[in-house]
Amino acid sequence: MSSVVAAPLPTPLTADQGALLSRFVAEADRSALLWASGYLAGAARALETSPVSALAAAIAPQASASQRLTVLYGSQTGNARREAEKIADAARAAGLEVRLLRADAYQTRELASERLLYIVISTQGEGDPPDDAIGFVEFLGGKRAPKLPELKFSVLGLGDTSYADFCGIARKIDARLAELGAQRVAELGTADLDIDTVAAPWREAALAKAGELLKATPAAHVATVTPLRPAAVAWSHERPFPAEVLANQRITGRAFRNVGFLQYGNNEKDVRHIELSLEGSALAYEPGDALGIRHRNPESLVASVLDATRLDGDALASVGGDTLPLHEWLATRRELTRLSRPFLVAHAERADAAQLKTLLEPGNPGFAALLDDHQLIDVLRRWPAEWDAASLLAALRPQAQRLYSIASSRKRVGEEAHLTLDVLRYAAHGHEHLGAASGFLAALEEGAQVPVYIEPNERFRVPADASRDIIMIGPGTGVAPFRGFVQERAETGASGRNWLFFGARHFDTGFLYQTEWQDALQRGELHRLDVAFSRDGGNKVYVQDRLRERGRELYDWLQNGAHFYVCGAIGMGKDVHAALLSIIAAHNGGDAEAAAEYLSNLQREGRYARDVY
């Protein structure tokens, strides 16, 4: 969804027309705005010659499927969307007819008539599609998928080699399209976190092939749209805004049980509530969006890597035209926690480590365990090797910017963005470990600055119909966006009810925003609250167990149009999904297939949204 707030519109629009257009601009995403610009320009041109045929001219397809490129994307964090926009923009600039669609907006019945299709898609977690592509992936892999002998296609996959099933969904789509008879016009691209090293040559090859296959549109038919107002500074993931820290507060409590007077038990969790100022940035977000953070790797981690490699941090190193001290490269430009297969392959050769080489063999289940259990420093210590600065920087991945769900509504907090984050600290392999981004944020003091940008999440929004009820599942820091949801619904006077399920290990130490939820209940901003504290009783109870206990009521809410949201860990999301399936099956006659279709319909309708990581 666009974060632009439309300015008041001048005449010749009526007040009603201005209000309608302003609302559309505020709520539409980029692809919708681009489509609308062409639609309106076409309508205006048609009015110059024939008012009667204006509407038909505006909505008539500009090219048949045989002379059109369709770019389809599935994106969880926004990277696939941005890459899809790049290929679509480049195709338009070359005069080609192109349409850009999010996967859940694509009418699958059109697939049989497509002639040129480019797909850009990320892989979520351990081989799952992004939420906005679940329906398309299921359709493509199912019996209803048509034979596609006339389709030409190419796929760009975005992934993370710190996961065993790297770009798994892209590989499956690429293989399935070929199985259905489609012809590959550019080889599958599989991009790691340094996306552009793979995406740029893939885009160049795909664009060249599209130019060969399609006819360019004459320049006279390309609409020129004049902006309604001057563009503000475009803060982005490439040019983040320096936000000032207004507050950095630990919100995990202290254990009071089984300890002496004025003595407190240990708390294994350190969860922070951070408030950042966006004043003067013109950055706008909606509840459900994420805040991107450009962090600096902790000094202790950088020092450990330099010690393990026996390299001089003050020595200058050059990469891609930039020259910096090695220490600065490691602190700001390279990923120092998450492992990747290319680095491990290079390190195994340098260390001549037979055990590591065995783990890297295709299909070895130990590889996934290695990625899950080891950070970069653990590998450097376990299998020592000789590295020089240039080779190390070439082998390491560019630093990955982190996304955190925004825990506030602008309607309540103004030009601020609030975050809720769990500081990662643990001991492993004889050493203490600290999360790179969470450790950086936890150490920030009031008045410090942190580079940030907004990452929209169009699929994770409060209902446009304010009378709809919402059910929110947010254990731990997964509750963050729902703090924003409840604030937003209260500030807009939404009449729909709000039901929150929250979970943590312990009531004393893990009940995040406890007093806020209690106040919201008293004010009528939150209508129901169910909690699960898994380590406080004899039996472990999780949010999915609370869902089952409230199954009848939950099903009734869904039947009456409620929206269902889940935020948190991928594993929890799967458990909640399974619980939801069993609840629906229990109350629709025990039909598991019908329950699965019911949930699929909720997703297609935008009433079942997940933000899992």
Side-chain angles (χ1 to χ4, degrees), residues 217-230:
T217 303
H221 293 287
V222 179
T224 299
V225 180
T226 302
L228 295 175
R229 56 193 176 279

Side-chain angles (χ1 to χ4, degrees), residues 213-539:
L213 296 170
L214 304 178
K215 296 177 181 177
T217 303
H221 293 287
V222 179
T224 299
V225 180
T226 302
L228 295 175
R229 56 193 176 279
V233 175
W235 303 109
S236 67
H237 68 295
E238 295 172 342
R239 187 186 181 190
F241 171 74
E244 181 183 354
V245 178
L246 301 176
N248 186 346
Q249 177 185 2
R250 181 170 178 161
I251 58 173
T252 33
R254 297 179 292 186
F256 290 89
R257 299 176 184 178
N258 302 318
V259 292
F261 179 65
L262 292 181
Q263 296 177 0
Y264 305 101
N266 292 327
N267 179 16
E268 71 278 14
K269 283 284 192 181
D270 179 4
V271 177
R272 300 299 179 102
H273 172 80
I274 296 178
E275 299 180 1
L276 301 171
S277 172
L278 303 180
E279 185 176 358
S281 69
L283 286 173
Y285 64 85
E286 298 294 330
D289 288 345
L291 196 70
I293 299 291
R294 180 174 290 176
H295 67 279
R296 184 179 180 90
N297 287 319
E299 184 61 33
S300 59
L301 180 57
V302 175
S304 296
V305 171
L306 289 171
D307 180 65
T309 55
R310 298 184 296 278
L311 293 173
D312 180 5
D314 294 327
L316 294 178
S318 298
V319 178
D322 291 338
T323 299
L324 298 169
L326 176 59
H327 180 282
E328 193 65 15
W329 277 110
L330 297 178
T332 62
R333 303 286 189 92
R334 288 298 180 266
E335 185 62 47
L336 297 190
T337 54
R338 301 172 181 175
L339 290 169
S340 68
R341 180 181 284 274
F343 171 80
L344 291 171
V345 169
H347 189 74
E349 288 300 321
R350 286 178 174 270
D352 194 22
Q355 183 185 21
L356 182 54
K357 291 179 180 179
T358 300
L359 289 170
L360 289 165
E361 291 176 355
N364 190 327
F367 177 64
L370 175 72
L371 294 177
D372 185 59
D373 185 54
H374 283 59
Q375 289 189 353
L376 170 70
I377 187 61
D378 301 317
V379 170
L380 293 175
R381 288 168 173 158
R382 183 174 176 181
W383 295 289
E386 292 292 331
W387 281 97
D388 60 86
S391 298
L392 180 65
L393 293 175
L396 292 174
R397 297 187 302 177
Q399 186 187 69
Q401 297 175 26
R402 277 32 171 197
L403 298 178
Y404 293 94
S405 296
I406 297 175
S408 55
S409 163
R410 288 185 298 131
K411 292 181 176 63
R412 177 164 293 183
V413 304
E415 290 186 283
E416 297 179 11
H418 297 180
L419 303 179
T420 311
L421 63 103
D422 191 350
V423 183
L424 180 64
R425 288 191 180 95
Y426 65 96
H429 313 295
H431 296 273
E432 293 295 320
H433 291 64
L434 176 66
S438 62
F440 164 77
L441 290 169
L444 293 174
E445 298 180 352
E446 291 183 14
Q449 290 188 334
V450 54
V452 305
Y453 61 94
I454 304 298
E455 187 60 62
N457 187 354
E458 295 98 345
R459 285 182 54 83
F460 210 77
R461 294 279 190 268
V462 295
D465 181 353
S467 67
R468 292 293 185 102
D469 297 332
I470 64 173
I471 303 166
M472 303 164 284
I473 318 300
T477 56
V479 80
F482 303 133
R483 183 174 182 262
F485 276 29
V486 172
Q487 291 179 356
E488 180 84 1
R489 301 257 288 180
E491 294 299 319
T492 58
S495 60
R497 296 171 295 173
N498 306 321
W499 186 357
L500 174 64
F501 286 81
F502 175 78
R505 289 190 173 191
H506 301 288
F507 170 85
D508 288 342
T509 60
F511 197 171
L512 306 182
Y513 301 113
Q514 177 187 355
T515 57
E516 286 193 25
W517 300 131
Q518 291 170 337
D519 290 345
L521 283 167
Q522 291 179 354
R523 292 193 300 265
E525 297 176 2
L526 184 64
H527 301 85
R528 293 198 58 167
L529 174 63
D530 282 272
V531 295
F533 299 105
S534 60
R535 303 299 192 275
D536 280 349
N539 298 319

Side-chain angles (χ1 to χ4, degrees), residues 55-125:
L55 180 61
I59 64 175
Q62 295 182 345
S64 67
S66 63
Q67 286 299 317
R68 177 190 67 207
L69 165 64
T70 295
V71 180
L72 199 64
Y73 69 87
S75 183
Q76 196 75 23
T77 63
N79 288 328
R81 170 179 54 80
R82 280 189 287 270
E83 291 304 318
E85 288 171 352
K86 287 179 183 178
I87 185 67
D89 289 346
R92 289 193 188 97
L96 304 179
E97 290 288 349
V98 58
R99 61 173 181 164
L100 173 66
L101 293 169
R102 198 171 64 193
D104 59 354
Y106 184 70
Q107 299 295 321
T108 52
R109 64 176 179 271
E110 296 181 10
L111 184 59
S113 61
E114 292 286 0
R115 293 299 176 262
L116 183 58
L117 175 67
Y118 291 164
I119 297 176
V120 184
I121 191 165
S122 61
T123 294
Q124 172 78 352

